[in-house]
Amino acid sequence: MSKPDEQNFVLPSKPEQPLATDCCGNGCSPCVLDIYQVELALWEAECIRIKNGVTAKGDDNPSAEDPKLERDHYHQFTIASITQETKDTIRVRFSLHPAQCLGLTIGQHVVIRATKPTSSTITRQYTPISPVQSKGYFEFLLKIYASGQMSNILKFWQVGDKIEMRGPLGNLIYSPNQYRRVLMLCAGTGIAPMCQVVHAILDNEDDETLVRLVYACKTYPEILAKSELSEWRRYWNFSSKFVLSQEPENPDYVYRYGEEIIKGHINEMLLQHELGDHFDKTFVLICGTRSFESNMLGFARKLGVPEKLIHKF
């Protein structure tokens, strides 16, 4: 096979290297620095492929089959709808073939790749909030940060856009009735991976695991996944508590009947109360900002929760 004229090469944008400070130091798997090394290797392989005139998988007939996730290859998925979840968070639904699942297991996430105006590419990890067995679609809750690099790209997404993703990644191991209780500690969009776990437990009639969600937000209107939370309250083995750090003394909105709401932060005393005397039967899941995760890990370890019963997304 003859190689194409080098002047006709259109090479992909090089991935942007994360800063050392982008690593939170909490032992994430995979770490953002690990993901960058994978992205760099994929970019180098793609450049070599293009220079050698080798057609990538699916390039000859991209409509021949529906996109599927692969850990080492990006596929494009089409946006089906975008709705405003809160003032700074959107819910984005992607379409699949009606009989197709995305291909995740519980607690897994994907890497989304986007091109910046500077022509370099950036990646971020996102966890779908939809049940892993959902067919025909999957959904994300995406927060728009004023100065976020990815936010400045995804805020311009429109229905019909095709977005690059690869995966799945993540190493949560869960089996029905493996634990007596699952205690979920999350903040903001950290509720996303919890959604997958809650769906899996509540949708399985044979799984009698008790699910306790302790969710930290600044104010009540900023609570995400309200439609899911409302549905989950119908189940006997699910309960939740909202911990609001900046809630007004006299809000001009009404809480839903029966919601457990306190003002403040999730601290060691609150966590001790939530754990009760069942350390050996409670699986603790943690997801949120860096500082939140660091605090929760510190509290749990100080209270004596065994490492094997702690999982940080």
Side-chain angles (χ1 to χ4, degrees):
M1 178 185 297
S2 61
K3 297 184 180 180
D5 186 342
E6 289 194 9
Q7 294 181 347
N8 294 329
F9 291 157
V10 179
L11 299 178
S13 301
K14 186 175 182 179
E16 183 172 280
Q17 183 172 2
L19 301 173
T21 53
D22 289 335
C23 172
C24 66
N26 285 328
C28 300
S29 180
C31 172
V32 291
L33 303 181
D34 296 330
I35 288 180
Y36 170 70
Q37 293 301 321
V38 174
E39 292 297 321
L40 192 62
L42 292 176
W43 174 76
E44 292 172 345
E46 193 170 0
C47 289
I48 292 173
R49 175 185 64 77
I50 292 172
K51 290 179 179 180
N52 288 318
V54 179
T55 302
K57 293 182 290 184
D59 284 356
D60 290 333
N61 186 6
S63 61
E65 59 181 72
D66 295 301
K68 296 178 181 177
L69 278 178
E70 292 185 80
R71 291 178 65 93
D72 60 352
H73 185 78
Y74 279 95
H75 290 277
Q76 294 184 336
F77 295 84
T78 304
I79 297 176
S81 66
I82 302 175
T83 56
Q84 200 73 32
E85 182 82 4
T86 65
K87 64 180 181 180
D88 60 2
T89 306
I90 56 176
R91 182 182 291 246
V92 183
R93 173 173 286 209
F94 288 83
S95 60
L96 296 169
H97 185 278
Q100 181 184 4
C101 294
L102 182 58
L104 305 179
T105 58
I106 300 171
Q108 288 191 312
H109 59 274
V110 303
V111 174
I112 292 180
R113 180 172 69 179
T115 303
K116 298 175 61 178
T118 56
S119 295
S120 61
T121 62
I122 59 172
T123 58
R124 292 292 185 271
Q125 302 174 69
Y126 295 106
T127 304
I129 63 167
S130 44
V132 294
Q133 72 272 19
S134 293
K135 294 182 179 180
Y137 78 97
F138 59 98
E139 287 185 337
F140 295 101
L141 286 174
L142 306 176
K143 187 168 184 177
I144 309 297
Y145 296 94
S147 58
Q149 294 186 73
M150 182 64 88
S151 294
N152 286 326
I153 296 173
L154 62 85
K155 69 182 180 182
F156 294 110
W157 283 359
Q158 297 181 359
V159 173
D161 286 351
K162 296 184 181 299
I163 309 301
E164 291 187 310
M165 302 182 199
R166 69 176 180 87
L169 298 98
N171 57 359
L172 174 66
I173 299 175
Y174 174 81
S175 300
N177 300 305
Q178 182 178 2
Y179 309 99
R180 182 70 186 100
R181 299 170 65 236
V182 173
L183 174 60
M184 302 176 173
L185 307 174
C186 61
T189 53
I191 195 173
M194 309 301 180
C195 287
Q196 287 188 358
V197 181
V198 177
H199 281 305
I201 294 174
L202 300 187
D203 290 346
N204 183 354
E205 294 182 355
D206 296 324
D207 194 342
E208 297 184 352
T209 304
L210 299 176
V211 180
R212 177 65 164 171
L213 175 70
V214 182
Y215 185 14
C217 281
K218 291 181 180 179
T219 63
Y220 185 76
E222 295 179 72
I223 294 173
L224 302 175
K226 279 194 173 73
S227 58
E228 285 82 0
L229 286 163
S230 179
E231 174 68 18
W232 296 337
R233 288 180 60 199
R234 297 172 47 248
Y235 291 83
W236 67 271
N237 55 335
F238 175 84
S239 64
S240 61
K241 174 184 287 183
F242 303 126
V243 185
L244 309 178
S245 60
Q246 299 179 21
E247 184 72 349
E249 282 297 324
N250 299 298
D252 57 0
Y253 39 80
V254 179
Y255 302 140
R256 295 183 181 182
Y257 177 77
E259 288 181 325
E260 189 177 350
I261 297 172
I262 64 172
K263 297 177 182 179
H265 297 83
I266 303 176
N267 54 29
E268 183 180 339
M269 184 178 297
L270 189 152
L271 180 54
Q272 184 175 31
H273 173 75
E274 291 294 334
L275 285 169
D277 298 323
H278 305 288
F279 285 22
D280 58 334
K281 298 179 181 179
T282 300
F283 189 35
V284 180
L285 303 180
I286 299 172
C287 191
T289 63
R290 291 185 186 181
S291 59
F292 176 86
E293 292 179 346
S294 180
N295 288 338
M296 295 306 105
L297 287 169
F299 296 152
R301 288 164 177 162
K302 186 176 179 180
L303 290 170
V305 180
E307 290 292 332
K308 65 179 181 180
L309 294 180
I310 302 174
H311 180 87
K312 188 189 73 63
F313 288 102

